[in-house]
Amino acid sequence: MWNAIKQNRWWIYQQERFPVFAHGTLIAVFSLAAVAYSAVLGGRYALELSAFAVAFATTFGFFLLLRIADEFKDFEDDCRYRAYRPVPRGLIGLNDLRYLAIIVLALQMLAALLLHAPLAMLLVLVWVYLGLMTVEFFAGSWLRRHPTPYMLSHMLIMPLIQLYASACDWLPQTSTPPAGLSWFLAASYANGLVIEIGRKIRVPEDEEPGVETYSVLWGRKTACLVWLSAMGAAGVFASLAADRVAVGGLTIVLLSLGWIISALLAFHFLTQTRTQSGKAIETCSGLWTLASYLLLGPVALLMV
């Protein structure tokens, strides 16, 4: 049976384009942080499991929808430059992904209505922004010529998703977000930039035709400096958010140490004659983000 599962085309697709277990771990921490942080801000020191379950399931759905949207947006370029990917090589069709997206949207709405009906309005807000991203805000040609506004506009989806995930906790309790949530959302935006930039920094040998990495667009040195700047901003916002839930000191110490390690890694990446790849920077971005959300969510909940 396990061999049959591994040979299934959807299993192969998730392995190559949306690794369920790897992504699921980070999404679980991402969702847990939002719900736990909201609970602590609201003076509630126990996690509502139903709120977390809906936040996790819906957030997982959002990230899957982002992947599906990318498959549609990048289809022509993938056929031209990356025919080895599952969609251009015919493993999964765009119609298959369209039906999957419809199922995900329906399940998200059902989960919102079952937990707390007003959540549906916030859910639609995230859908609308995701839809605008899919059509590249009706300015695709301009955005593709200006990669920085492209990145900054697309990363706004991150705090919107976190707003929804946190609302699974605070909206059933009150009609307004708790004071201090804005710093958490700002940290989510900056962490999104850390992940986005970090996964697109490569050595020349790993660059692919038709793939606009930041190491190509800006040069490796500038890309690393922007990556570290985004990480620094994320650290500042996370520390301000952490100060609202009594883990500010611990967050400052640990994230400062993390930033120093990241700076040393970037220096090594830029100065070594034979560097391995940009994979270490991508991994470091994930670990940084994971640490930030663990501090702001589970750790804060345990320490109050």
Side-chain angles (χ1 to χ4, degrees), residues 175-224:
S175 59
T176 56
L181 186 64
S182 56
W183 292 121
F184 180 82
L185 299 180
S188 297
Y189 180 74
N191 278 330
L193 295 177
V194 171
I195 292 287
E196 170 65 11
I197 298 168
R199 73 186 184 90
K200 292 184 179 179
I201 295 178
R202 302 179 184 177
V203 294
E205 294 79 8
D206 291 339
E207 301 288 1
E208 296 180 83
V211 179
E212 293 187 333
T213 62
Y214 297 109
S215 45
V216 166
L217 292 169
W218 300 335
R220 288 201 299 152
K221 181 178 179 180
T222 299
C224 286

Side-chain angles (χ1 to χ4, degrees), residues 14-67:
Q14 68 83 26
Q15 281 187 308
E16 296 184 25
R17 300 295 285 154
F18 194 80
V20 169
F21 299 111
H23 283 30
T25 300
L26 188 55
I27 292 169
V29 174
F30 182 93
S31 308
L32 179 60
V35 174
Y37 187 77
S38 171
V40 176
L41 281 181
R44 288 170 279 104
Y45 307 126
L47 193 69
E48 289 287 344
L49 292 181
S50 59
F52 169 65
V54 171
F56 170 68
T58 309
T59 300
F60 189 92
F62 284 139
F63 282 101
L64 179 54
L65 289 170
L66 286 169
R67 167 53 64 210

Side-chain angles (χ1 to χ4, degrees), residues 37-212:
Y37 187 77
S38 171
V40 176
L41 281 181
R44 288 170 279 104
Y45 307 126
L47 193 69
E48 289 287 344
L49 292 181
S50 59
F52 169 65
V54 171
F56 170 68
T58 309
T59 300
F60 189 92
F62 284 139
F63 282 101
L64 179 54
L65 289 170
L66 286 169
R67 167 53 64 210
I68 293 171
D70 281 345
E71 298 286 16
F72 279 87
K73 286 193 301 178
D74 299 338
F75 180 68
E76 290 185 7
D77 285 344
D78 283 348
C79 288
R80 184 177 298 116
Y81 299 111
R82 298 174 289 276
Y84 58 85
R85 286 183 172 175
V87 175
R89 76 172 189 258
L91 179 71
I92 296 292
L94 290 180
N95 272 339
D96 297 324
L97 294 173
R98 186 177 288 110
Y99 294 139
L100 177 59
I102 292 171
I103 293 170
V104 171
L105 293 169
L107 291 175
Q108 286 182 316
M109 180 58 74
L110 178 62
L113 294 174
L114 287 175
L115 181 65
H116 188 59
L119 275 168
M121 292 183 290
L122 273 179
L123 178 62
V124 171
L125 173 65
V126 184
W127 284 354
V128 168
Y129 199 85
L130 199 155
L132 289 172
M133 286 174 57
T134 303
V135 298
E136 296 185 340
F137 304 97
F138 303 102
S141 298
W142 185 87
L143 284 171
R144 289 184 181 275
R145 293 195 306 270
H146 300 82
T148 300
Y150 185 101
M151 175 186 67
L152 294 175
S153 62
H154 280 60
M155 280 303 105
L156 282 171
I157 194 70
M158 299 302 289
L160 282 176
I161 292 174
Q162 281 289 39
L163 177 63
Y164 180 86
S166 68
C168 292
D169 173 79
W170 58 259
L171 192 56
Q173 311 293 331
T174 178
S175 59
T176 56
L181 186 64
S182 56
W183 292 121
F184 180 82
L185 299 180
S188 297
Y189 180 74
N191 278 330
L193 295 177
V194 171
I195 292 287
E196 170 65 11
I197 298 168
R199 73 186 184 90
K200 292 184 179 179
I201 295 178
R202 302 179 184 177
V203 294
E205 294 79 8
D206 291 339
E207 301 288 1
E208 296 180 83
V211 179
E212 293 187 333

Side-chain angles (χ1 to χ4, degrees), residues 229-242:
S229 298
M231 190 175 285
V236 170
F237 293 140
S239 297
L240 290 168

